[in-house]
Amino acid sequence: MDRRTFAAGSAALLSGCATVDARPRRLATCTPLVPVQVDASRVIRTVAGLRPYRKSGFVVRAEQLGTKRLVHNYGHGGSGITMSWGTSKLAIELGLQGHSGPVAVIGSGVVGLSTARLVQEAGFPVTIYAAALPPDTTSNVAGGQFHPFGLFRDDSVTPAFREQFVRALEYSWRRYQIMVGDDYGIHWLPTYVEASAPEAQVIANFPPINRTLTPAEHPFPLDNVVVYDTMYVETGRYLRQMIRDVQIAGGKIEVRRFGSPADIAAIPEALVFNCTGLGSRELFGDQELQPIRGQLAILEPQPDIRYALTGGPGYMFPRADGIILGGTFERDVWEAVPVPATIDRIVSSQKRFFDSFRCTA
């Protein structure tokens, strides 16, 4: 089950929470956890981002653009963090074969930075061209969970795409593991999900710990809970470190906006990787791309929260820069601005949920 499937049951879950409020908190058969202190007064900022979604999944494809070779790497939906290293690996395998000379990457989000680093690791000089730099990119707004979510629609992908997806996910899974630590802001956390069965294992060892809990093993007002372990990325810190890595390795970054493919044809590099995300709709006419708006309320940090949750009230991811509350999946909305009424619903739903714990640490 992914976060979107889980969120679909929000109404039923919240009505269940209202009933649970009357239950006694001190129960002999309940494993306690520290609840998140959710209150509007603890909200330190609100943000909204637009996920670049395609029902047929991400695009990794090469074509000629005049005398240049153009390799596309975009359309990651809600899985930009998760899939970035993997699809970038597919893209450089497609683009670097037989190439010599400098390389251009368009886009400075997580996909563009991953592509640029892999180009450098293969021994090529790279220049990143971007209309905006972090923190003014969609990647900065991401929740940061490693989990393939909101990436494609099952009935719209081909067997060949599924093979690409598995290869990319496997590489990303391995790559993030060697980056765990404070430098990149990547940490492991147990993650609790409402489900009737454990998460399906797409690749080996993901998720590594994955089991259904009995009611005595958790404090949540839920009938069926699965726990698994995965990694979480503090996106602001991660993107800053990735930019440093690119620059330390000799990479250049140029702020430049491309209005058409003809503008790309004017840059000097013969090999170009397009990592513009939602920008590829206008730049290359990909009308299948549509924005999926996600809104977040960030609470002040609470260091004693050492678990994550996805469920009816949305998701809760604890990070050093704040407690991330989210879970909206708003199709074809082009305004990357938080809506106060929606933020209020997110905070209220999360508050009801955490106030209804059956026992607390």
Side-chain angles (χ1 to χ4, degrees):
M1 174 181 286
D2 61 23
R3 296 199 301 270
R4 178 172 50 177
T5 304
F6 194 179
S10 59
L13 177 58
L14 292 178
S15 64
C17 288
T19 302
V20 174
D21 283 340
R23 297 179 186 175
R25 284 186 175 275
R26 292 186 297 275
L27 298 176
T29 57
C30 182
T31 300
L33 286 173
V34 176
V36 178
Q37 299 171 24
V38 182
D39 189 83
S41 65
R42 294 178 62 82
V43 176
I44 55 176
R45 64 186 183 278
T46 61
V47 294
L50 306 181
R51 306 173 179 104
Y53 176 75
R54 301 175 80 255
K55 65 180 181 180
S56 62
F58 60 78
V59 175
V60 174
R61 175 174 53 82
E63 63 179 75
Q64 285 299 123
L65 180 64
T67 60
K68 299 185 186 303
R69 184 165 174 80
L70 176 67
V71 180
H72 296 288
N73 182 13
Y74 68 86
H76 296 73
S79 299
I81 296 286
T82 300
M83 301 301 297
S84 58
W85 284 106
T87 64
S88 298
K89 179 70 169 175
L90 298 179
I92 69 156
E93 289 174 353
L94 195 58
L96 292 182
Q97 188 173 3
H99 176 73
S100 61
V103 173
V105 173
I106 306 176
S108 65
V110 66
V111 176
L113 292 171
S114 301
T115 302
R117 286 295 297 128
L118 289 176
V119 167
Q120 290 178 317
E121 290 175 9
F124 295 86
V126 69
T127 297
I128 295 176
Y129 297 92
L133 300 175
D136 298 318
T137 65
T138 297
S139 298
N140 275 86
V141 186
Q145 182 193 51
F146 187 98
H147 199 294
F149 158 72
L151 179 59
F152 56 84
R153 202 169 75 186
D154 282 339
D155 62 1
S156 298
V157 297
T158 65
F161 173 83
R162 291 184 187 278
E163 289 182 11
Q164 275 193 320
F165 163 61
V166 170
R167 283 185 58 209
L169 183 64
E170 187 174 49
Y171 183 79
S172 279
W173 180 235
R174 297 198 310 269
R175 184 74 187 217
Y176 276 112
Q177 289 177 43
I178 65 173
M179 302 173 76
V180 168
D182 290 340
D183 285 349
Y184 292 94
I186 302 173
H187 298 95
W188 288 91
L189 283 175
T191 303
Y192 296 91
V193 184
E194 182 187 27
S196 58
E199 294 259 342
Q201 194 168 71
V202 181
I203 58 174
N205 298 320
F206 175 74
I209 295 177
N210 182 21
R211 65 188 182 90
T212 301
L213 302 180
T214 68
E217 294 178 288
H218 67 84
F220 308 115
L222 305 171
D223 293 328
N224 300 297
V225 176
V226 167
V227 64
Y228 63 86
D229 279 6
T230 191
M231 292 172 284
Y232 288 81
V233 180
E234 186 181 334
T235 52
R237 180 181 297 187
Y238 179 77
L239 293 171
R240 288 192 299 272
Q241 185 61 49
M242 286 286 285
I243 287 176
R244 292 189 192 104
D245 290 351
V246 169
Q247 293 174 325
I248 289 170
K252 301 175 183 177
I253 299 176
E254 180 177 326
V255 176
R256 182 168 177 174
R257 183 178 297 275
F258 296 95
S260 70
D263 294 338
I264 297 173
I267 62 177
E269 294 84 1
L271 174 61
V272 181
F273 290 91
N274 167 39
C275 306
T276 57
L278 197 57
S280 293
R281 179 183 170 101
E282 181 178 350
L283 191 56
F284 295 102
D286 188 342
Q287 296 302 303
E288 188 183 337
L289 267 173
Q290 67 173 149
I292 304 293
R293 184 168 66 182
Q295 301 187 51
L296 301 177
I298 295 92
L299 306 179
E300 61 182 283
Q302 191 177 338
D304 54 353
I305 302 299
R306 299 185 183 90
Y307 63 93
L309 176 82
T310 64
Y315 61 74
M316 182 282 295
F317 302 157
R319 301 194 322 211
D321 59 338
I323 300 286
I324 311 300
L325 306 180
T328 67
F329 200 83
E330 305 165 68
R331 294 179 182 273
D332 211 25
V333 178
W334 285 91
E335 292 186 318
V337 293
V339 178
T342 303
I343 296 297
D344 288 345
R345 285 196 296 271
I346 290 172
V347 174
S348 296
S349 296
Q350 296 274 359
K351 179 174 175 56
R352 285 195 297 271
F353 181 83
F354 285 103
D355 283 350
S356 65
F357 269 29
R358 294 180 294 118
C359 60
T360 59

